[in-house]
Amino acid sequence: MSTTRRDFIKASLALAAILTTGGCLREAKKPSNWITGAPDPDPLKGDRVVRTVCLGCHSNCGLQVKVKNGVAIKVDGNPYHPNTMEPHLPYHTDPAEAEKVNGTVCAKGGATIQSLYNPLRIQHPLKRVGPRGSGKWKTISWEQAYDEIINGGNLFGEGHVDGLKAIRSFEPIDPNAPELGPKANQLVFMPGRIQHGRKEFTDRWVAHCFGSINKRIDHTSICETSHHVGLSLCFNGRNHIKPDIMSSNYIIFFGATPYEANFPMQALARKLNFFRERGGTLVIVDPRFSNSAAKAARWIPILPGTDAAFALGMMRWMMEHKRVDLEYLSYPNQKAAFEGAGHLTWSDATFLVREDDRKYYREGDRPLVMVNGILTPAEEAKKGDLLVDTVIKGVRVKSVYKMLVDRVMERSIKEYADICGIDAKAIEREADDFTSHGRRAVADFYRGAVQHTNGTYTARTIAALNILIGNISWRGGCQPLSGNHWHEMGGKPGNPYDLNDTERFLPGAVKPKGVPIDRHKVNYETSTEFKKNGYPAKRPWFPFAYDHVYHEVFPSIAAQYPYQVKCLITYWNNVVYSSPAGTHMMEAVKDPKVLPLFIAIDIVMGETSSLADYILPCRHFLEDYGIPHVAPTILTYTSGVRQPVVEPVFKDTKMLEQIFIDIGIRMGLPGVGKDGLGPGRDLNEPWDWYKLLVANIAYGDKENDSVPGKTEEEKVAYVLARGGRFEDYNESYNGPYTKNAYRGPVSLYSEKLATTKDSMTGKPYDGLPLYEPIKDIMGRPIEVDHKKYPFFIITYKPVYHAQARTAACLWLMEVTPEECIQINASDAAKLGIKHGDLVRVYSMSNPKGVEGKAWVTEGIRPGIISIPHSLGHWQYGSKPFELDGVKTSSAEWIGRGCSANPVMWLDPYLKNVCLTDPIGGSASFYDSRVAIIKVKGQ
Amino acid sequence: MTEILDSKEINGARANVYLFFSRIFREPPTQDLLAFLLSERGLDILKTLFPMEEVLRELGSLMEEVRKGSLTLEDFQLDFDSLMRVPGPCYVRPYESVYRHDSSSPGDGSKPTLMGEPAYQVSALYQKAGLEPCESTTNLPDELTVELEFMGHLCKQAERSLEANEQERAWKAIAMQREFLTEHLLSWAPLCLEKIISNAQTPLYRTFSRLLISFLEGEEDLFR
Ligand code: SF4
């Protein structure tokens, strides 16, 4: 068939006849551009762009902030930073060109300008004029504050108070218990959120300039510390895993909601969108139907605290259906694993464990395995036997994998499912799917799974799922190392300044020693108290809690255990608001005889700062420096640099580092002032410190790894102009592995755990993956009348809130619903509660409870009550206080809603602190039971 | 370039074809349009314009099915909506920006977005050609229907200029046709049309996509 030109013209005319008018374009003399009238993607033009790093939450996204006439007017994402774009801009891109591109920020990040310009910020140093916590303050000068804090005296008309000078003594606190260390330890520094660059600075000051062992007891125990501790006991000290989302095919998240929280939140959410678009299967295990559950292929509304049982059930199915990568597990050393199947990691599955002392069976220092029934050093074997159970020289030994199989087989899948309150099929289906994608499947988890008394065990159990499929460090698998960075503290071949070398960079440094106030990283058996009294200790000791036990500090201060704290310095700390049962801690710091000096460094009148003697006003993060890192969600090297975006909004505020420098110089401490950073390097202001850190980043870790620039100044400027240093996106992978992959041993069994005794029960911990029911600090089940308290209470972070800080941003509070107490619709119907009713939630630890409006929803498992973080402030600017005899202004909306923390359980034995994981030190956020009643209809 | 592009009639005819396809992919079919397309006369016109036996046979059998009542107007309307409007499993996202994202990105990290660079480029070209969006228009500038319509306008402009003996203006319009075709329409429309062919639930849009692909191939030859 063909057509002629003539026919074509003729037929097209006939076609024209059917075309009615209409269409999208019209002719015009002065045509307007199509895009006119559409919303301008960037309506605010600044006269300057500054690249820094966000601290709206801990995701540490790069920011590109527009500044006009010295005012920060708009917050966008820094397109060089991998958190904000997929892929991020190549690092060599000209900064002026990069201004044309905006990365993303979340609602919290965009709203941070409201906390910067918050008129309720503390603007001058304050000193209390009434009793602690009375809300009466006067303005003082910095000089007066420094003088009183350093020299002490009768500061409040309540008797003499030692200042920092008197506290800095190197005499023992208790000559009868020398292990407690010197009196200088009676200074405790307790920041809430403190990040890299800054934490190394304050560690240096508190530990090596001042000499206290209590250098930094930060918030991690109310965040996710058992996650870190559990993982570091699996991955040789690496404390964070994340899936390689962009190449994975299946991800199951336990107790995490990557579309709302976790970090870096916006990168997780964005990458998961690509993952799902590619057909990846997302599974969310969480009693609450989160944003993430809404996007998931499956939502598993498990009972709180039972995630380990779910994982063990999966393992049972995997073992019974030959879905465990036995080949990977059989490699007992690095060489064997790499040569055998290209693995970068190897496990202890074949290592033998003695029944008598729970240690690895060794020859000298060398762990042994069986090779076809013959004892062989693990480091020499190509493959070991996995299922060993035998007696050697009268000692029963089993291989780690055999121990794990025995452990897993203790319960049927149905029994595991009953513990979780779900159908056994759910466990079977996930086990099947998880093992159907080769190494491109990952089991991940976060605080929902570990902020329980069994948190560390749960962390190790979920991590073990990954080990059983051999996905560690493979592309699409589980990543314990990515999220790496250039070493700002130096010490690598390319870095010019090795700031950890105290001999060169801190002349006169003190070596702190002793027991920290929260007893973290110390074994009770090394104490004089143990030698005298044996078990139990007066309060728990935490040999594995590498990240401190934040919520244990105030109760320890009250108990003066293991010694009295004479001066507490807090920074951006709101422990009484943010901790479970935190309101019970307020009394702990109110008595000046127990705690003589309490200094809070803060930007607002926080709940905890309101209990202090002095409040020293510090800067907002948009006025600050820092070198924040990112989580392994990001595969490429990332060193963000936080730098001031604007001049300080309130001139009489100071950077945290400046406050410590000022005090140090006035006290004559080593390591500050003239030659403070070594000969020829003064430390008089924060930049003196940070310029060395940024230089280390600029020069890089390896020789000849520097950014462009002829001089150090030029190199530093190159990094600052881009808001940090960022490896290019195409460096994410190295063949079948992620580029910055973990290469080390993985442990199914933790010898350390299995051979350490708990300070309260005197019993050793368990070295294997384990489900353990919720218990008190004495290891006893908690007695509670389930009829009286039929609900579990849990918390979550809405996507537009972080912990305490976001309540001060009006934009965020405007989108926060009034109804904050989530309850399942069937539970609500039984109790006669309607959406919007005023209800009261109470517990056996807090019979008065908290009140708020009910949010009746099907999106939560029956039997669970959920209240988000960030609400229910009773200070933080929501209430006035008295300043210089006058009532300050306040904003009631900051205090809207309620918080779940006040109704969470106290430990029944200790009675003044919440339930705690004795290993990792995590505060329990999800184990308390409560009741709910209607107070008033709408 | 072939000399037939100098012909005002050819430009006029091409304009009609472009505007016809623009209509097909702009809105769901109406009863009248369907009646015409599936009438003997309609079929004859299409046969003349697109001598593609196999495709037209499909149209013929489609006509049968409509006659029998096994396919109705509503089926075609639903098909249009699910292909062109509703972000469900059949949606083809008929925008140039979506098809011309940076596919060199690793993994599946490439990022198709609406209102990407091509949208800005084509809207600048529309303006350059003296065209602006009609008031009631809610479409995005780089949508398939709009780009087809733009080609229709450019062909018409060439036709008018040739009729008025304004050779230079005519050549400008023809040069712009070439630029727009090679840099925009041809670089993505065939991909989008292939997607329609595989996602369509009725033969109607499959057929028209095939016809348009063949027409665009002819256009490509014309400018070679
Ligand atoms: S995710 Fe966190 S760090 Fe990133 S922009 Fe939002 S608030 Fe800032």
Side-chain angles (χ1 to χ4, degrees):
Chain A
M1 224 169 32
S2 70
T3 196
T4 65
R5 200 162 136 178
R6 210 179 122 78
D7 289 342
F8 180 76
I9 293 166
K10 225 170 105 191
S12 81
L13 283 173
L15 211 51
I18 63 149
L19 295 172
T20 47
T21 47
C24 304
L25 287 161
R26 68 175 177 204
E27 298 195 332
K29 280 220 170 71
K30 278 193 190 162
S32 57
N33 191 300
W34 194 296
I35 293 176
T36 312
D40 186 334
D42 189 7
L44 293 170
K45 306 263 184 288
D47 46 35
R48 196 160 67 89
V49 157
V50 184
R51 300 196 172 90
T52 185
V53 180
C54 188
L55 194 41
C57 75
H58 188 48
S59 294
N60 292 325
C61 302
L63 298 182
Q64 181 157 277
V65 183
K66 295 202 178 80
V67 180
K68 193 172 188 176
N69 302 327
V71 177
I73 55 167
K74 172 108 194 297
V75 177
D76 289 306
N78 175 4
Y80 289 108
H81 195 290
N83 279 16
T84 77
M85 293 238 305
E86 201 81 27
H88 52 282
L89 286 189
Y91 194 55
H92 61 74
T93 309
D94 184 87
E97 276 304 301
E99 283 180 25
K100 296 179 190 154
V101 187
N102 283 334
T104 56
V105 282
C106 77
K108 302 187 287 281
T112 51
I113 40 179
Q114 292 191 316
S115 49
L116 170 68
Y117 294 110
N118 177 6
L120 303 173
R121 277 177 64 178
I122 307 279
Q123 299 175 20
H124 305 279
L126 306 183
K127 177 182 178 182
R128 72 174 164 94
V129 290
R132 267 194 202 148
S134 63
K136 294 193 172 126
W137 301 87
K138 70 171 178 184
T139 305
I140 58 170
S141 67
W142 281 96
E143 273 316 315
Q144 183 186 342
Y146 288 151
D147 176 53
E148 294 183 6
I149 289 165
I150 293 168
N151 298 312
N154 186 2
L155 304 175
F156 308 99
E158 297 162 350
H160 177 83
V161 177
D162 276 351
L164 290 179
K165 249 191 195 158
I167 296 170
R168 188 173 185 260
S169 153
F170 296 101
E171 296 297 313
I173 296 173
D174 178 355
N176 296 322
E179 77 278 5
L180 298 179
K183 288 181 174 165
N185 289 349
Q186 291 176 296
L187 166 69
V188 173
F189 180 52
M190 191 186 177
R193 162 73 62 202
I194 191 162
Q195 295 188 318
H196 286 288
R198 169 160 287 176
K199 67 166 112 170
E200 287 78 7
F201 180 93
T202 55
D203 283 3
R204 177 183 186 274
W205 192 98
V206 181
H208 299 297
C209 302
F210 189 91
S212 170
I213 193 77
N214 291 300
K215 62 180 182 187
R216 168 172 43 93
I217 305 178
D218 70 18
H219 78 287
T220 320
S221 75
I222 60 161
C223 199
E224 81 288 63
T225 195
S226 295
H227 165 273
H228 295 352
V229 172
L231 290 175
S232 64
L233 293 170
C234 294
F235 299 109
N236 200 25
R238 301 303 310 177
N239 66 8
H240 204 146
I241 55 167
K242 279 280 184 284
D244 167 17
I245 300 173
M246 295 303 281
S247 296
S248 186
N249 294 335
Y250 171 98
I251 305 173
I252 180 166
F253 282 104
F254 291 87
T257 173
Y259 274 94
E260 288 165 289
N262 213 305
F263 45 87
M265 184 276 285
Q266 45 157 356
L268 279 169
R270 182 185 63 238
K271 287 173 194 287
L272 281 169
N273 280 349
F274 288 119
F275 164 86
R276 287 167 45 236
E277 200 169 275
R278 240 182 336 106
T281 303
L282 172 67
V283 179
I284 297 289
V285 184
D286 185 343
R288 190 180 70 91
F289 189 72
S290 59
N291 279 10
S292 311
K295 307 265 184 243
R298 291 185 286 278
W299 171 44
I300 299 172
I302 195 171
L303 275 171
T306 65
D307 305 68
F310 193 97
L312 288 166
M314 284 175 71
M315 286 184 206
R316 173 148 190 160
W317 190 93
M318 288 157 65
M319 286 170 179
E320 287 174 343
H321 291 78
K322 302 201 172 9
R323 296 286 188 88
V324 175
D325 187 346
L326 295 177
E327 190 186 343
Y328 167 65
L329 295 181
S330 69
Y331 297 123
N333 59 59
Q334 185 165 28
K335 190 161 173 273
F338 188 72
E339 286 175 0
H343 287 281
L344 302 181
T345 66
W346 68 100
S347 83
D348 62 348
T350 54
F351 287 25
L352 302 177
V353 177
R354 305 170 62 112
E355 194 184 50
D356 55 356
D357 62 5
R358 305 156 76 96
K359 291 187 175 161
Y360 289 135
Y361 192 83
R362 288 187 169 84
E363 180 188 76
D365 284 349
R366 306 197 299 174
L368 299 176
V369 299
M370 285 282 195
V371 179
N372 300 325
I374 296 168
L375 277 176
T376 313
E379 61 192 27
E380 286 171 12
K382 282 210 166 115
K383 275 189 176 185
D385 301 345
L386 279 167
L387 294 171
V388 181
D389 183 352
T390 187
V391 175
I392 303 172
K393 293 187 196 149
V395 180
R396 184 159 181 205
V397 296
K398 282 190 190 180
S399 59
V400 168
Y401 188 65
K402 174 72 170 84
M403 289 166 68
L404 179 64
V405 172
D406 293 348
R407 164 65 49 84
V408 166
M409 297 299 163
E410 281 168 11
R411 290 186 175 100
S412 67
I413 295 180
K414 164 91 175 51
E415 284 168 330
Y416 286 123
D418 288 347
I419 291 171
C420 303
I422 50 154
D423 196 316
K425 282 199 190 74
I427 294 180
E428 291 165 1
R429 182 177 50 199
E430 296 323 322
D432 188 2
D433 209 349
F434 177 63
T435 52
S436 296
H437 304 275
R439 291 172 185 138
R440 296 196 179 216
V442 183
D444 193 16
F445 62 100
Y446 222 70
R447 58 173 282 148
V450 300
Q451 293 301 108
H452 296 276
T453 61
N454 60 14
T456 308
Y457 290 138
T458 301
R460 296 200 72 248
T461 308
I462 298 173
L465 285 172
N466 295 302
I467 300 173
L468 293 188
I469 62 165
N471 67 1
I472 316 298
S473 298
W474 289 89
R475 185 175 182 145
C478 167
Q479 307 304 322
L481 183 59
S482 305
N484 219 330
H485 54 91
W486 286 273
H487 287 77
E488 68 273 3
M489 287 294 285
K492 299 277 169 189
N495 306 139
Y497 306 109
D498 182 0
L499 290 157
N500 290 316
D501 177 353
T502 44
E503 246 172 61
R504 282 178 57 214
F505 289 89
L506 207 173
V510 184
K511 200 164 184 277
K513 48 180 192 259
V515 176
I517 188 74
D518 60 344
R519 287 97 49 209
H520 76 271
K521 281 208 227 171
V522 189
N523 193 329
Y524 174 57
E525 289 192 359
T526 61
S527 71
T528 306
E529 182 191 340
F530 172 72
K531 278 161 208 142
K532 270 201 226 149
N533 305 338
Y535 291 106
K538 192 170 164 203
R539 297 187 71 84
W541 294 52
F542 299 94
F544 290 96
Y546 308 122
D547 293 303
H548 338 290
V549 190
Y550 183 65
H551 60 281
E552 175 62 18
V553 175
F554 277 28
S556 300
I557 288 175
Q560 303 198 16
Y561 180 77
Y563 46 81
Q564 185 191 19
V565 172
K566 289 206 165 166
C567 176
L568 171 70
I569 303 180
T570 57
Y571 160 66
W572 201 5
N573 169 319
N574 208 345
V575 66
V576 302
Y577 169 84
S578 305
S579 302
T583 41
H584 296 275
M585 294 180 189
M586 290 166 57
E587 290 308 313
V589 291
K590 276 198 179 161
D591 184 353
K593 288 197 189 64
V594 175
L595 172 65
L597 191 55
F598 179 1
I599 300 149
I601 302 172
D602 208 338
I603 66 169
V604 289
M605 181 62 72
E607 282 75 6
T608 305
S609 300
S610 75
L611 304 170
D613 298 325
Y614 295 89
I615 303 183
L616 305 181
C618 61
R619 299 270 164 87
H620 185 270
F621 79 83
L622 290 172
E623 306 161 325
D624 250 345
Y625 289 110
I627 314 283
H629 301 165
V630 290
T633 315
I634 303 299
L635 300 180
T636 45
Y637 263 55
T638 301
S639 285
V641 174
R642 182 172 295 131
Q643 57 184 321
V645 164
V646 285
E647 288 292 306
V649 176
F650 300 109
K651 302 289 176 242
D652 202 23
T653 57
K654 286 184 195 283
M655 266 188 212
L656 179 70
E657 291 82 356
Q658 190 68 59
I659 297 172
F660 278 106
I661 292 170
D662 291 349
I663 293 176
I665 290 175
R666 283 164 178 75
M667 286 181 71
L669 295 185
V672 289
K674 176 112 187 70
D675 297 332
L677 287 159
R681 283 185 298 264
D682 300 344
L683 179 53
N684 291 318
E685 56 177 34
W687 181 240
D688 292 336
W689 166 259
Y690 282 104
K691 70 182 176 199
L692 306 188
L693 273 64
V694 180
N696 277 335
I697 292 171
Y699 278 94
D701 289 0
K702 294 181 224 129
E703 305 272 10
N704 304 320
D705 183 29
S706 162
V707 303
K710 285 194 204 78
T711 61
E712 182 173 313
E713 282 70 33
E714 279 183 23
K715 291 178 201 291
V716 166
Y718 192 93
V719 172
L720 292 179
R722 288 159 177 77
R725 185 169 180 186
F726 311 103
E727 195 176 27
D728 283 351
Y729 192 81
N730 54 16
E731 300 286 330
S732 301
Y733 297 106
N734 176 12
Y737 317 109
T738 50
K739 167 92 179 299
N740 299 305
Y742 170 73
R743 294 155 190 265
V746 303
S747 309
L748 286 168
Y749 180 73
S750 170
E751 187 187 39
K752 264 198 226 158
L753 260 186
T755 52
T756 303
K757 285 186 183 149
D758 181 82
S759 63
M760 304 303 282
T761 64
K763 292 191 192 126
Y765 298 119
D766 197 292
L768 281 173
L770 172 73
Y771 164 69
E772 183 192 70
I774 302 313
K775 59 177 196 189
D776 71 5
I777 204 71
M778 294 305 290
R780 307 170 304 196
I782 293 159
E783 281 170 30
V784 57
D785 181 348
H786 285 209
K787 281 212 183 84
K788 219 166 148 200
Y789 299 102
F791 294 92
F792 275 108
I793 186 148
I794 62 169
T795 64
Y796 70 100
K797 263 189 227 161
V799 68
Y800 39 78
H801 277 297
Q803 280 270 4
R805 70 196 94 155
T806 41
C809 300
L810 183 59
W811 291 336
L812 303 178
M813 290 304 271
E814 277 174 341
V815 296
T816 305
E818 286 277 343
E819 298 79 15
C820 60
I821 301 180
Q822 292 189 340
I823 177 169
N824 181 277
S826 63
D827 290 335
K830 274 184 221 143
L831 296 166
I833 293 170
K834 293 208 180 62
H835 190 81
D837 284 350
L838 187 68
V839 293
R840 185 161 69 83
V841 177
Y842 59 98
S843 68
M844 58 189 190
S845 295
N846 187 342
K848 192 161 159 261
V850 295
E851 287 188 359
K853 288 191 177 175
W855 177 341
V856 177
T857 171
E858 278 76 21
I860 193 159
R861 185 190 164 105
I864 311 274
I865 302 285
S866 179
I867 303 180
H869 285 301
S870 304
L871 305 180
H873 277 287
W874 62 93
Q875 292 285 345
Y876 220 79
S878 65
K879 246 180 41 190
F881 56 90
E882 195 183 298
L883 180 60
D884 302 326
V886 181
K887 229 173 153 193
T888 60
S889 56
S890 60
E892 219 176 297
W893 53 264
I894 293 176
R896 235 181 55 203
C898 65
S899 161
N901 292 344
V903 295
M904 289 188 186
W905 276 349
L906 290 166
D907 183 274
Y909 178 80
L910 295 169
K911 296 196 168 60
N912 59 359
V913 70
C914 61
L915 298 174
T916 299
D917 172 6
I919 307 175
S922 274
S924 148
F925 269 91
Y926 312 106
D927 300 318
S928 304
R929 296 189 79 98
V930 295
I932 179 168
I933 49 163
K934 178 163 156 178
V935 177
K936 207 163 80 182
Q938 296 167 67
Chain B
M1 256 190 261
T2 23
E3 80 274 7
I4 62 163
L5 282 170
D6 283 345
S7 149
K8 85 175 160 63
E9 288 82 6
I10 284 293
N11 273 292
R14 289 172 57 232
N16 289 338
V17 177
Y18 273 116
L19 294 174
F20 167 73
F21 280 116
S22 170
R23 162 65 188 87
I24 295 291
F25 291 104
R26 184 169 64 237
E27 286 163 13
T30 58
Q31 189 63 57
D32 287 352
L33 181 68
L34 195 68
F36 170 79
L37 291 176
L38 301 180
S39 66
E40 297 291 347
R41 185 172 128 72
L43 220 54
D44 277 348
I45 293 173
L46 292 173
K47 262 184 205 158
T48 315
L49 286 171
F50 311 105
M52 299 172 69
E53 269 177 64
E54 196 189 320
V55 181
L56 294 168
R57 209 175 307 125
E58 195 170 1
L59 217 50
S61 51
L62 182 61
M63 202 159 90
E64 260 319 290
E65 294 208 36
V66 173
R67 240 183 248 136
K68 282 193 296 198
S70 49
L71 276 172
T72 65
L73 176 68
E74 201 182 333
D75 293 321
F76 302 123
Q77 288 173 334
L78 276 175
D79 201 18
F80 179 89
D81 282 342
S82 57
L83 287 166
M84 310 299 280
R85 287 178 170 167
V86 183
C90 299
Y91 188 47
V92 301
R93 299 171 181 82
Y95 305 97
E96 182 178 340
S97 297
V98 172
Y99 287 83
R100 292 190 56 205
H101 63 272
D102 175 19
S103 57
S104 62
S105 307
D108 280 322
S110 53
K111 189 179 173 190
T113 51
L114 291 177
M115 291 299 282
E117 203 50 34
Y120 287 80
Q121 290 164 353
V122 297
S123 55
L125 285 173
Y126 302 162
Q127 197 178 19
K128 199 168 150 197
L131 295 163
E132 66 178 15
C134 298
E135 240 152 56
S136 57
T137 296
T138 51
N139 306 57
L140 298 184
D142 60 344
E143 194 173 334
L144 180 63
T145 175
V146 184
E147 294 203 0
L148 292 168
E149 185 185 339
F150 180 56
M151 275 305 291
H153 279 283
L154 291 178
C155 294
K156 275 222 176 316
Q157 282 180 3
E159 180 196 18
R160 279 201 306 261
S161 306
L162 288 166
E163 193 161 54
N165 256 331
E166 291 173 352
Q167 205 63 37
E168 203 172 313
R169 270 181 74 175
W171 272 105
K172 250 194 194 160
I174 292 166
M176 202 181 234
Q177 289 174 26
R178 177 201 172 94
E179 179 190 345
F180 188 76
L181 264 179
T182 50
E183 293 193 0
H184 293 281
L185 197 54
L186 290 175
S187 70
W188 72 279
L191 297 174
C192 175
L193 292 165
E194 289 295 349
K195 211 163 185 184
I196 295 178
I197 292 168
S198 62
N199 291 7
Q201 304 292 302
T202 72
L204 187 71
Y205 288 100
R206 265 202 303 271
T207 310
F208 281 108
S209 296
R210 289 207 179 103
L211 296 180
L212 180 51
I213 288 175
S214 108
F215 174 69
L216 290 175
E217 281 166 0
E219 287 284 286
E220 198 173 5
D221 289 345
L222 211 55
F223 282 90
R224 207 161 262 159

